Amino acid sequence: MNCTKCDREAVLHAEYSGAHLCEHHLRESVESRLRRRIRKDGLIGPEASPEDPETWLIGLSGGKDSVVLTSILAETFTEDPRIELVALTIHEGIEGYRDESLDAASELASELNIRHEVVSYADEFDLEMDDVAETDPENMAPCAYCGVFRRDLLSDYADRFGADKLLTGHNLDDEAQTALMNFFEGDVAQMAKHFDASLGPFDERTDSTDFVPRAKPLRDVPEKEVALYAHLAELPVHMAECPHSSEAYRKEIQELLLKMEAQHPGTRHSVMAGYEELAELAARAYRENSPDLGECERCGAATTRDLCRTCQLTEAVHAA
Ligand code: SF4
């Protein structure tokens, strides 16, 4: 089958749009969706200038999503000195997994000539995920600890580096899964947090949080297209799955969504379109009644409790 836009051979059939795309047009399409999302969300602040550029911190794990995000952003802003990019890789302490993805992240940052920083749970929290998974003092899945620690470090380092925005590589499938999980769990508060943390235009949400605002510029691109882009562009990507991956519920939702998408192309897009409207309404309602943020007694991080969640969990792990 030939490409819908030219007479080269197609490498992808996007059933949700009906398009067949060749390598050139697939790459062009992924890049233009990312750049459109940057414009739509108003990601480049009106004050950003070559003399006073914004700093964007990218969470670069070495997996396909963050590698594609970093690569396209670097290409986009090479000629645009209003934005400076810094990549941050977090080493969780997972043997046989993170060292390899760290190599991929370092290789990419060096190829793209962007600043690359590495931080570890060992240095920051005096623990490693291999030990946490074994002791599991709170009877939770490993990812529940790891997600809290990672979010905390990304926010903390965004602050330390004076970043204006914090960018992650979440794709359309990731976001549609999160949306459905929030629906199925009836978690309206989580929808509101999701909107304020990373969805919607910045002027709709930045005033409502003390944290460095987040963005997910790849969130309009399906996972399969991100993976194909990484392959076709021959980017250094670490493909292995983490041995502690434990998000069983997310995997069920993922299978359900893929099945729905196969039977009803466009399902992921329509889930996100409706979800964003609802999440915005929820965010507005919750902002009016949100509790004041205080400071964690131990680390000073913003929290509504005496101890932030990270300090609660690190304390439990060290006591185990
Ligand atoms: Fe951490 Fe879970 Fe991701 Fe592994 S799969 S790196 S434990 S969040």
Side-chain angles (χ1 to χ4, degrees):
M1 182 69 76
N2 281 355
C3 177
T4 309
K5 298 188 174 185
C6 69
D7 52 13
R8 281 173 284 216
E9 191 182 342
V11 294
L12 172 88
H13 177 212
E15 289 184 339
Y16 58 87
S17 66
H20 292 82
L21 296 175
C22 67
E23 172 176 347
H24 170 78
H25 282 109
L26 167 72
R27 288 176 63 173
E28 184 182 76
S29 166
V30 170
E31 290 161 10
S32 74
R33 273 174 282 172
L34 184 150
R35 290 174 187 141
R36 193 185 318 132
R37 176 48 70 185
I38 287 175
R39 286 194 300 277
K40 201 168 166 189
D41 284 356
L43 212 61
I44 303 176
E47 310 286 311
S49 68
E51 296 73 37
D52 186 16
E54 281 197 353
T55 299
W56 290 5
L57 182 70
I58 308 168
L60 175 61
S61 68
K64 64 181 186 322
D65 302 304
S66 63
V67 162
V68 168
L69 172 68
T70 307
S71 171
I72 299 176
L73 287 176
E75 197 176 310
T76 304
F77 292 111
T78 298
E79 305 294 330
D80 187 346
R82 289 178 300 163
I83 304 298
E84 276 180 3
L85 301 174
V86 181
L88 178 73
T89 303
I90 295 176
H91 196 307
E92 299 92 346
I94 301 171
E95 203 180 337
Y97 173 68
R98 190 50 84 204
D99 287 335
E100 286 76 1
S101 62
L102 179 55
D103 289 346
S106 302
E107 185 184 336
L108 182 80
S110 153
E111 268 175 25
L112 300 174
N113 199 23
I114 61 173
R115 179 177 162 199
H116 181 215
E117 303 284 343
V118 181
V119 296
S120 70
Y121 289 178
D123 288 343
E124 298 291 331
F125 304 129
D126 192 23
L127 56 82
E128 302 211 323
M129 271 312 297
D130 285 339
D131 300 326
V132 175
E134 202 175 305
T135 53
D136 190 7
E138 300 274 289
N139 287 321
M140 310 191 303
C143 296
Y145 299 87
C146 196
V148 171
F149 299 152
R150 183 185 299 110
R151 255 194 313 278
D152 189 79
L153 281 190
L154 283 171
S155 289
D156 186 22
Y157 274 83
D159 222 25
R160 290 195 208 185
F161 294 153
D164 299 281
K165 311 271 157 56
L166 169 57
L167 279 63
T168 55
H170 294 80
N171 58 50
L172 176 64
D173 293 60
D174 296 327
E175 291 299 276
Q177 288 158 20
T178 300
L180 274 196
M181 285 164 75
N182 289 340
F183 273 130
F184 287 178
E185 288 165 353
D187 199 340
V188 181
Q190 198 55 38
M191 289 183 201
K193 275 193 203 161
H194 190 190
F195 183 85
D196 271 341
S198 58
L199 302 177
F202 276 92
D203 55 2
E204 281 283 313
R205 59 188 169 95
T206 45
D207 287 346
S208 67
T209 173
D210 289 344
F211 303 103
V212 174
R214 293 178 175 234
K216 299 166 177 171
L218 269 180
R219 68 186 168 93
D220 300 316
V221 185
E223 180 172 17
K224 184 176 161 191
E225 292 172 46
V226 177
L228 198 50
Y229 184 102
H231 173 69
L232 295 170
E234 297 182 4
L235 297 173
V237 167
H238 181 238
M239 295 299 281
E241 190 175 353
C242 170
H244 304 310
S245 175
S246 51
E247 293 188 293
Y249 187 51
R250 181 174 284 273
K251 281 189 182 139
E252 276 182 54
I253 298 285
Q254 179 188 32
E255 281 166 21
L256 175 69
L257 257 179
L258 288 175
K259 198 170 153 198
M260 292 297 291
E261 185 70 35
Q263 289 171 357
H264 309 279
T267 295
R268 290 165 300 188
H269 291 84
S270 53
V271 163
M272 284 313 295
Y275 176 80
E276 278 184 39
E277 281 190 38
L278 283 176
E280 182 174 359
L281 290 174
R284 286 191 182 162
Y286 272 79
R287 274 180 218 150
E288 285 169 19
N289 303 307
S290 62
D292 290 338
L293 283 176
E295 288 189 354
C296 171
E297 285 172 2
R298 181 152 310 151
C299 72
T303 180
T304 53
R305 316 170 224 211
D306 294 339
L307 276 188
C308 70
R309 189 69 179 133
T310 300
C311 285
Q312 285 177 357
L313 291 180
T314 52
E315 191 173 87
V317 170
H318 290 140

